[in-house]
Amino acid sequence: MKKSLRELMKTAPVLGDGGYLIELERRGYVDSGSRREKVGTGRGSGQFTPEVAVQQPDALRELHREFLGAGSQVLQALTFFGTREKLNRAGYGAQTEAINIAAVKLAKEVAGDKALVAGSVSRTQLIEREGMGALKKAGDHIAEQIRILKDAGVDFLILETFFHLVEMKVALECAVASGLETVATMSFRPTIDVCSDGHPPAQCARVMADLGAVAVGANCEQGPEVMAPLLRSMREACNVPIAAQPAAFRTTAECQSFTRLPQFPDELETIQISRDEFVNFGKTARAEGIGFVGGCCGCNAAYIRATADGLAEAK
Ligand SMILES: [Zn+2]
């Protein structure tokens, strides 16, 4: 039997993967919603839904293989933005079960006994679109997706790219109640100081740890160097391992989130961070005792391999 994530993190940093959607968008398989939907504003931003799992399974299978080859110990099923709410808006609501189940099946097929498979669950976008009154509805959609992912056989859950702590809390309660180990990571924008409902990273970390996450941290929006101080403040605030999945995009002092920059989503190549920064990220991660180390938007297998190199060099 495979060791659980919690067990693996006890001995060394666990290497994840990512990011799937931007990489598959660049390869022509994912719709960014560019020029059709309002993106980058925080209000109802673009499509980026995971129907590739049923439409182009070979493309997704291949990307999983690349991450596995780069050293990923965890493959994330591409179920990000896979709630019925988000899929409905993109026209795929009726395929909610099929998309989630297919994504888990593909990840498990490639992982075999070599890697754990995580179900990825993100925000519904209902809070940005409709406000806090939609929290109950958001929770119901997230609960449905978690049920589907558990039934499909994921080893654990990664709750990621939540902007509001209040939505993360609802999701995390549901995830923990499912009995699956759960990693919980918030995304901070436009700066790393507070999340969208005003809580600093340290407070987010405490709340997520108290709710039972096996690792807490941050993902997406900024590169490893910009993210580093927020991870440190999280580590000081709680006693569970820290999880980090930075993006590979350069941000500015005023705007530390790439999805708020004008280059999102059509000119991301112009703010790409080199993989060298991810070698350093791997070194820092080991030195600072980060438990789960992966990538997010802008990363591909080369970045994960660079992170693995950094982790190895720092041994
Ligand atoms: Zn991302």
Side-chain angles (χ1 to χ4, degrees):
M1 202 175 130
K2 289 187 272 191
K3 275 189 182 170
S4 75
L5 177 68
R6 198 200 296 260
E7 284 298 312
L8 286 174
M9 288 190 299
K10 279 182 186 165
T11 46
V14 174
L15 184 65
D17 62 1
Y20 284 89
L21 284 170
I22 296 271
E23 182 65 17
L24 288 168
E25 194 269 342
R26 286 174 171 176
R27 297 182 187 190
Y29 299 111
V30 162
D31 184 349
S32 73
S34 171
R35 295 193 173 83
R36 189 178 68 253
E37 295 193 51
K38 204 170 197 172
V39 291
T41 61
R43 292 186 301 278
S45 66
Q47 181 151 326
F48 281 114
T49 38
E51 63 277 4
V52 59
V54 292
Q55 291 184 344
Q56 302 282 350
D58 288 342
L60 181 51
R61 193 181 284 117
E62 172 57 24
L63 187 51
H64 281 312
R65 281 201 197 106
E66 292 170 18
F67 283 125
L68 191 68
S72 296
Q73 297 166 273
V74 169
L75 295 181
Q76 297 185 69
L78 181 53
T79 52
F80 186 92
F81 275 164
T83 60
R84 189 177 300 275
E85 160 64 25
K86 173 73 179 173
L87 289 170
N88 259 335
R89 286 181 191 272
Y92 298 101
Q95 294 179 71
T96 303
E97 285 92 350
I99 289 168
N100 279 278
I101 291 167
V104 174
K105 193 165 167 253
L106 282 171
K108 283 173 65 112
E109 180 192 311
V110 177
D113 57 4
K114 297 194 190 81
L116 293 173
V117 170
S120 165
V121 176
S122 185
R123 69 191 192 284
T124 53
Q125 291 189 325
L126 274 168
I127 309 301
E128 295 112 287
R129 289 174 193 269
E130 298 177 13
M132 290 298 174
L135 192 58
K136 169 77 173 68
K137 193 158 69 159
D140 291 346
H141 281 289
I142 290 168
E144 181 194 27
Q145 191 190 10
I146 288 174
R147 273 196 306 276
I148 298 171
L149 294 175
K150 185 179 180 187
D151 290 348
V154 297
D155 295 309
F156 70 99
L157 295 170
I158 298 180
L159 307 186
E160 56 182 352
T161 327
F162 280 77
F163 294 148
H164 296 83
L165 183 59
V166 69
E167 190 178 14
M168 168 59 90
K169 281 162 74 175
V170 169
L172 188 49
E173 278 165 5
C174 181
V176 170
S178 78
L180 292 168
E181 288 186 0
T182 303
V183 173
T185 61
M186 297 285 296
S187 295
F188 293 87
R189 66 180 198 173
T191 68
I192 61 166
D193 301 334
V194 289
C195 64
S196 294
D197 48 351
H199 305 284
Q203 192 184 352
C204 292
R206 261 192 303 275
V207 168
M208 295 187 292
D210 287 349
L211 284 174
V214 297
V216 303
N219 76 288
C220 208
E221 295 297 357
Q222 55 281 131
E225 281 173 21
V226 178
M227 188 182 274
L230 94 78
L231 296 172
R232 283 185 203 116
S233 74
M234 284 185 148
R235 199 189 46 181
E236 284 161 16
C238 68
N239 291 317
V240 300
I242 295 299
Q245 299 184 98
F249 298 119
R250 199 175 311 109
T251 51
T252 66
E254 300 74 38
C255 180
Q256 297 171 305
S257 71
F258 81 88
T259 62
R260 287 285 180 91
L261 291 172
Q263 288 89 349
F264 177 72
D266 292 326
E267 296 171 69
L268 290 174
E269 286 76 12
T270 64
I271 54 168
Q272 183 77 37
I273 286 175
S274 83
R275 61 186 85 158
D276 252 10
E277 195 172 317
F278 281 75
V279 176
N280 290 332
F281 170 50
K283 288 183 192 167
T284 312
R286 186 176 292 277
E288 301 199 1
I290 293 178
F292 182 76
V293 187
C296 203
C297 302
C299 293
N300 57 22
Y303 284 74
I304 295 300
R305 199 181 292 277
T307 307
D309 289 345
L311 284 167
E313 281 173 33
K315 239 181 204 170

